[in-house]
Structures are given as C-alpha cells and as structure tokens.
Amino acid sequence: MHLNPSSGLTSWKDTKRPVLTFPAPTHEIKALSELKSPIGTSVILHGYLGARADLSKNLCFVPLLDKELRHSIQIVSAAKSSSGEIGLAHANLKALEPNTPVVVRGLLRPRVPAPSKHVGHVKRTERVEVALADVQCLNEFPKDIITTPDTVFPLEQRHLQIRSDERLRDALTFRANAANICRDELSTKHNFLEVETPLLFKSTPEGAREFIVPLRRKGLAYALPQSPQQFKQILMASGIPKYFQLAKCFRDEGMRADRQPEFTQLDLEMSFATGESVMHCIENLVLRLWNDLLQITLLSPFPRMTYQEAMSQYGSDKPDVRLGTPIWKVDYLLPVDLVQKISPLTDPIVEAITFRIDVDDGPAETRKFISKFMDSPEATTFNKNPEGGPGIFIYDSRKPLQGLQPLGFEAAEAIDELFGAKDGDLIVLQARAKAPFSGGSTKLGDLRLALHREAVKQGLLQPLTGFAPLWITDFPLFSPSNASEPGQGGEAGLASTHHPFTSPKSSDDVDLLLSDPIKVVGEHYDLVVNGVELGGGSRRVHDAKVQEFIMKDILKMSSGRLAEFSHLLEVLRAGCPPHAGIALGFDRLITVMLGRETVRDVIAFPKSGKGDDPLTRSPGVMRQEDLEAYHLRIRE
C-alpha cells in the first residue's frame, strides 16, 4: 500500500485531534501472575490487542499482548457494568482491530484456567483476567492489512515481518545478547579497548570492490571501508595494545549468494602478539558464546587443518567435517583409457569419493537418486565442467566386479578395498588439472556438498546436526589473479590471497618471497564451523620495508597504487610492534549458532539479493541537481 503524504496530512488535520497523552502502566503483563493478592487490584496496562472473541453482542473476550509480544492477559468486556450502566468502553473496544496498540484500565479478577496454557508462542496469564473499565487507542491498525497466523509478509513490509514472526524477534534478541557477551569477554576479561574507526575512508586496493562516496569538491571521493583493517593496524602503532569493535563494513559484491553490501564484523587486533595469541583468545570467546547462549560445551582446543589438507581431503577451504566422505587421489589406480574418457586433460589428477544414502533397495534407489540429481539445474556446473564431468558408478554386488567393471579388475579391487563400499554406494571420480590448489574449492568438493544437499532434500538423509569448529591454517600468501576479483591491481599476475598485509609464516617463506612467491605460506587462519567460514585473521606485516617490497616487487603495484598506502607505510616505519588480529563475520556467526538458512534472518533490516532495501526503496535515483552538485554524469 502506498500512501499519499499530502492527503494523509490533510486527513489528520481535519480530525482536529488534541496532542496524544496517555498514562504510564501500573504493571507489566508478565508480572501479573506473580502478584501475591491480585484480586481487585486496579491496573493500567500497555500492549497490543489480539483477536477478539464475541460470546454475544454484550460480552467479549480479547487477549492483550505485552509490548514484547511474549505474554498476554485476557480482557473481559461487558456492555453493561455490574451497576447496570451501559459501558462506553465496550463499544470502543469492539471498534478496534487486532494489533492495535492500546492502554487498558480495569480490575483484576479470578479466572478459571483454560486447558491450554499458551497460545502459540505467547505465554498466557492463567490465574487472573482484567475486567475492562476503559480502553484508549494509541494508534489505529488499518483494516486493509490482513494478518492471520498463515500470513507471510514480504521484505517490503519488514516491520510486519518482525512483528508477526517470533523467530525474527528472538534472533534479534539473541544477536544483542551475543554482542553483550563479546563486549564483556573482550573488555572485562581480556582488557581490550573498544575503539570506533571512521566510516569515511579512501579507496585502497585491499581486495574487494568498494562503495564510493563522491564529494562536492570536484574529483574527490571517500570510500566506505571494506573493513577497519588499516585503522586497527594504525592503532597498534599508536600504543593501543588490544583493540576491538563491532564494526560496520561495506563491500560491493554484486549478486554473490547470501552476501550483504553492508555487514557487521567483530574486529580485533593485538600488539606484541602472534596468530596463536589471537586464536587462543577467539577460541575462549566462542566457547563462552556457545555455553552461555546455547548451553552447549564445545570440545577444545579446536582441531586444526592446513589449507592443503582441507583442499585435498574435502575439496574446500571451509570443510564441513560432519559430513565425512573424504576425497582420495586414485589416478594411479586407473587405466589410461578410462582417464581419457572422463577428462580431456593430459595427465590430470583424478580423485574419488564414496557417497551413501539410507535406502532399502540400495542400487536401484541410488540410481534413481543420482539420475534425478544429474538431470537437475543444480548439476549443470558439474556436467559442463571443462575439465570433464564426474564419472559415476554404483556399487552392486550382483554385477561383475560389483558394478565397477569399467575401472578394470585391478582398479576395481583396489577401490573396493579403499572405500569398503556397500551395495547402493555411489563412487564418484572427478579429474582436475595437475596444478597447486588455489581458490576456495574444487569441483569434487562442491559435488560432495551438492549430493548431500540433494539427498536431504529428497528425504534420503537426515540434516546434519551439532557443531564442528576447526581452524584452517597455512594458506598460500599469494594466488593467481582472478579476472572476477579486483585484487590489488598489480601487474605480476598475482594477488594477495586475503589482503596484502598478511605476513609470511616462517623465515623459509620470507626467503621464498625472492625466489618463488606462489609457494609462500602466510600466517593466516580461518575459523570454520559446519562448513561456514566465520572469520579470518593473520599476523600482519609490521616492517615498512617488507610491506613495501610485497606491494612493489611481488605484486608489482603501480607507483600510484603504492602511494595510496603511503600513510600505512609511514605508520609502520615509526616503530610499529608485531601484531596480529582477526575479524569474525558477526551476522554469519549468529546465523550458524541459530541454524538459520540466511543472514537475512538475523539482521533487522537486510538488503535483498540485488542489494536493494524494498522497505525504504533504497538506493534512490539521483536527481539532476545532485549529479551536478557532485560533478557526476550518467554514462549511457
């Protein structure tokens, strides 16, 4: 519904209403059941009307929900009072729609408890009810907004989504409690100082696309920060030993799945520290969050896995280890002609997984499952893989070589022994180029997850439960440049895997900077829970000469790009101590803890998949006078 502001204002003026005043409440609804002698008590209550039940035209019952929409008390309204007077309050109450905010005045009287204690998520006051004396409408709820238990409001009506959905309100409460715990753990227990850093910064090539804020001063613009990375390093050089904040960050990531253009991260940095110091601190924080908010005790210390191990065993740099089914390298077992059939590559690496679903008639049901999946749109990326589609076999003891005859006798026996397969198991082969791992996943790693999602969708497997945190360490410091990512804009064909401020891990890695940069391992660590990267951090380069060498000689950034970091180099030059830090994606952390599907479920006012806010209709179209004021023009 779109309102005409001018007509709405005229309508309000015509009513000639006085300024609204209303009394303060004498009690909160949730406290009424705890009163020692409640009967006959005069009360004034604030809240929202529920759905009215009319026993007759002279008698009705209405639940009054408290301000938090968590507790209710029954309001009893009669057309005539005990003295026989016609009650105006009764007529006023019947004229009001459900969801109307009101002030109710009345007397508490005993109530016979109903068989059901709660209605939905609302806790009902059982021992007493309110005999209505007066009701004051604080604002009308329009009849054209239809609200039923089955109503699903769109993002354009986010206010009604939140108001009608207990899970959304609970998520926001949970989020606030988590933020309070983070502040208490870091500030009170570990002496971190909460420092706010600027939101108006400048464009620097850290690795993500930025949002630009033009100025009326011709040719100048701010950039919204991708993260507080540079400012927190500056704080380390400023004598602030431990910094943190719940920081707003901004990245223009377009249509990437489940990303928000603005997001919150728990950001921290420690001077005179290594990555071990940071991981220990974060592990304690995560243990407390799970214990205090979910009453779950996580096992610690968290397991650790290197990037190379994660990619080779699970085909992902953020593996969900609850899934099991590790990847095995099998090309040495396979006949050459079979490898040539599943891949156009010359001398590829061939890897395999086994996948089991819970079915009675194993091979037949598995064949039905995999055929349906491979014909679905979700399988397109695997079928059209330029390195070759997956080779899929179904283990069937009734067939020659258990259904693995295309592998040949020796390979079939070896793979049978390797996997310990059972009837109905899928055995999937996938080729990839013989090259070092780069990026976040392999095609077989993606297929492993896709098969599990599809099996859960078809009801053949139960969704995974529990929490499996682990640290992923020893990432490559540099990766080949990717045309889809801005990187640092250097000319070396390399980009920093995370950002250009990460330090090499060891003295051997420092030596490799000169001889073979692509082999350098960085002291970087990611916290992963259930296949979701909750955050990443690193020990930083604290020597200005090393930082300049990485940017100028390894990444081959232009002098202009290098000048954009001159402020940071000057800061590092002034005796900056060694330091390390991390940033946890706070939205994603809450999403994982609550088991929600998307970060939009834990953010009060999220953007859509296109980056729009349907509620406020932002972003807005720039007017011509704005374009002129900021020295801009629209390119056709």
Side-chain angles (χ1 to χ4, degrees):
M1 179 181 66
H2 301 287
L3 298 177
N4 184 322
S6 60
S7 64
L9 182 61
T10 302
S11 175
W12 180 82
K13 283 182 176 180
D14 291 343
T15 62
K16 297 181 180 178
R17 295 181 179 179
V19 174
L20 178 67
T21 60
F22 57 95
T26 58
H27 300 79
E28 295 296 333
I29 292 174
K30 65 181 178 181
L32 292 178
S33 60
E34 300 172 3
L35 293 179
K36 292 183 179 179
S37 302
I39 305 306
T41 301
S42 179
V43 295
I44 298 174
L45 305 174
H46 291 175
Y48 299 93
L49 293 179
R52 189 179 73 249
D54 294 324
L55 263 65
S56 68
K57 68 177 183 179
N58 296 322
L59 181 64
C60 67
F61 300 91
V62 183
L64 180 69
L65 284 72
D66 68 356
K67 292 172 283 188
E68 295 179 349
L69 302 171
R70 296 183 184 276
H71 301 82
S72 73
I73 189 168
Q74 180 168 272
I75 308 299
V76 181
S77 178
K80 293 183 180 181
S81 66
S82 57
S83 61
E85 297 177 354
I86 300 296
L88 180 61
H90 181 72
N92 289 341
L93 179 67
K94 294 191 70 172
L96 298 176
E97 293 292 314
N99 302 297
T100 298
V102 295
V103 177
V104 166
R105 183 171 59 83
L107 294 177
L108 294 183
R109 70 183 198 184
R111 177 172 183 262
V112 178
S116 175
K117 188 174 182 180
H118 306 315
V119 179
H121 62 273
V122 179
K123 296 179 181 179
R124 187 164 58 188
T125 305
E126 290 296 304
R127 295 192 303 118
V128 293
E129 60 189 14
V130 177
L132 181 69
D134 189 25
V135 60
Q136 180 184 1
C137 174
L138 300 179
N139 197 1
E140 296 176 354
F141 191 85
K143 293 183 178 181
D144 61 305
I145 298 179
I146 307 301
T147 60
T148 71
D150 299 323
T151 302
V152 177
F153 292 103
L155 202 55
E156 288 85 350
Q157 295 175 298
R158 183 64 169 181
H159 57 302
L160 295 177
Q161 278 187 351
I162 296 173
R163 187 161 158 181
S164 63
D165 189 339
E166 177 200 17
R167 280 168 49 87
L168 277 175
R169 297 195 305 277
D170 285 348
L172 296 179
T173 301
F174 187 96
R175 180 188 178 109
N177 292 337
N180 290 337
I181 289 173
C182 290
R183 287 191 167 96
D184 179 65
E185 181 74 15
L186 296 174
S187 296
T188 306
K189 292 192 175 182
H190 296 288
N191 299 313
F192 279 78
L193 184 66
E194 186 170 6
V195 181
E196 297 177 54
T197 54
L199 290 182
L200 292 176
F201 188 37
K202 69 174 184 177
S203 179
T204 57
E206 293 182 28
R209 289 185 177 87
E210 300 162 314
F211 288 100
I212 302 300
V213 183
L215 300 180
R216 289 192 296 263
R217 296 157 61 189
K218 190 173 183 178
L220 296 180
Y222 290 114
L224 300 179
Q226 304 173 34
S227 75
Q229 180 63 44
Q230 295 181 57
F231 282 111
K232 66 179 179 179
Q233 289 193 247
I234 293 170
L235 285 172
M236 296 301 98
S238 305
I240 304 297
K242 292 181 176 181
Y243 138 93
F244 89 99
Q245 70 170 315
L246 283 163
K248 276 292 184 185
C249 306
F250 306 86
R251 294 178 188 173
D252 187 0
E253 298 190 291
M255 301 289 288
R256 293 180 67 175
D258 203 24
R259 298 292 181 96
Q260 290 283 300
E262 56 178 314
F263 57 95
T264 304
Q265 66 182 32
L266 177 64
D267 195 57
L268 64 84
E269 200 81 8
M270 305 165 65
S271 66
F272 297 94
T274 63
E276 290 292 335
S277 311
V278 174
M279 286 191 279
H280 179 71
C281 176
I282 287 295
E283 202 158 307
N284 284 336
L285 173 60
V286 169
L287 289 171
R288 182 178 171 191
L289 285 168
W290 258 255
N291 185 71
D292 287 8
L293 295 176
L294 300 176
Q295 291 72 54
I296 291 175
T297 301
L298 298 175
L299 296 178
S300 65
F302 296 163
R304 297 190 183 187
M305 185 181 298
T306 68
Y307 170 80
Q308 295 295 332
E309 290 170 338
M311 292 293 285
S312 62
Q313 293 178 31
Y314 297 101
S316 172
D317 65 354
K318 45 182 181 295
D320 189 343
V321 294
R322 299 174 302 167
L323 188 54
T325 62
I327 293 171
W328 295 88
K329 186 172 179 290
V330 296
D331 46 78
Y332 66 96
L333 297 172
L334 303 177
V336 174
D337 60 334
L338 176 63
V339 174
Q340 291 173 344
K341 289 178 182 178
I342 64 175
S343 175
L345 300 175
T346 300
D347 192 25
I349 291 172
V350 181
E351 296 168 320
I353 59 169
T354 183
F355 186 79
R356 180 175 298 164
I357 56 178
D358 186 15
V359 292
D360 295 328
D361 184 8
E365 286 295 320
T366 300
R367 187 169 291 104
K368 181 179 177 182
F369 159 75
I370 194 62
S371 296
K372 182 177 180 180
F373 172 73
M374 294 306 294
D375 289 339
S376 70
E378 287 78 10
T380 301
T381 183
F382 307 112
N383 290 324
K384 295 186 176 182
N385 179 8
E387 296 181 333
I392 298 174
F393 304 89
I394 299 173
Y395 192 92
D396 188 344
S397 59
R398 296 169 297 184
K399 293 186 175 182
L401 293 180
Q402 293 76 44
L404 307 180
Q405 63 270 30
L407 305 182
F409 180 79
E410 292 183 2
E413 276 205 337
I415 287 179
D416 187 5
E417 183 177 347
L418 179 67
F419 287 120
K422 297 182 179 180
D423 275 351
D425 284 3
L426 279 175
I427 295 174
V428 183
L429 307 182
Q430 179 64 61
R432 62 178 176 86
K434 188 171 286 186
F437 289 117
S438 64
S441 65
T442 65
K443 270 291 184 283
L444 187 56
D446 294 339
L447 180 57
R448 169 180 173 269
L449 296 176
L451 288 172
H452 184 267
R453 283 194 301 270
E454 182 66 21
V456 171
K457 180 180 175 182
Q458 294 188 28
L460 301 173
L461 287 177
Q462 292 297 315
L464 297 172
T465 59
F467 297 96
L470 74 157
W471 290 103
I472 306 297
T473 64
D474 297 358
F475 286 81
L477 193 60
F478 306 107
S479 300
S481 295
N482 186 334
S484 64
E485 299 289 345
Q488 289 74 48
E491 298 178 357
L494 296 176
S496 295
T497 301
H498 292 94
H499 56 55
F501 317 117
T502 300
S503 173
K505 184 168 185 177
S506 67
S507 56
D508 290 340
D509 291 303
V510 174
D511 293 339
L512 282 171
L513 283 176
L514 299 171
S515 59
D516 200 351
I518 199 70
K519 292 183 179 179
V520 176
V521 173
E523 189 171 334
H524 180 100
Y525 33 87
D526 278 359
L527 178 61
V528 174
V529 177
N530 296 356
V532 178
E533 178 196 332
L534 293 190
S538 65
R539 181 167 61 86
R540 323 299 187 186
V541 176
H542 71 283
D543 186 304
K545 293 180 180 178
V546 176
Q547 185 66 82
E548 184 174 9
F549 178 80
I550 288 174
M551 292 177 170
K552 181 179 179 181
D553 296 287
I554 303 298
L555 297 174
K556 298 191 182 304
M557 294 168 59
S558 66
S559 57
R561 284 292 178 104
L562 193 60
E564 293 170 354
F565 292 104
S566 60
H567 60 281
L568 181 62
L569 296 175
E570 186 62 25
V571 167
L572 298 180
R573 192 175 70 87
C576 181
H579 54 283
I582 196 170
L584 295 183
F586 193 66
D587 309 311
R588 205 164 294 282
L589 169 71
I590 303 303
T591 304
V592 169
M593 292 186 74
L594 290 176
R596 302 297 167 86
E597 292 296 320
T598 168
V599 295
R600 288 194 293 273
D601 293 337
V602 301
I603 299 173
F605 300 106
K607 302 293 190 291
S608 70
K610 295 181 179 180
D612 301 334
D613 181 352
L615 173 64
T616 63
R617 302 183 186 90
S618 67
V621 177
M622 294 191 71
R623 298 172 297 179
Q624 184 59 38
E625 52 265 39
D626 294 329
L627 293 171
E628 293 172 359
Y630 290 98
H631 310 284
L632 302 172
R633 62 186 177 87
I634 305 297
R635 294 178 60 182
E636 297 298 335

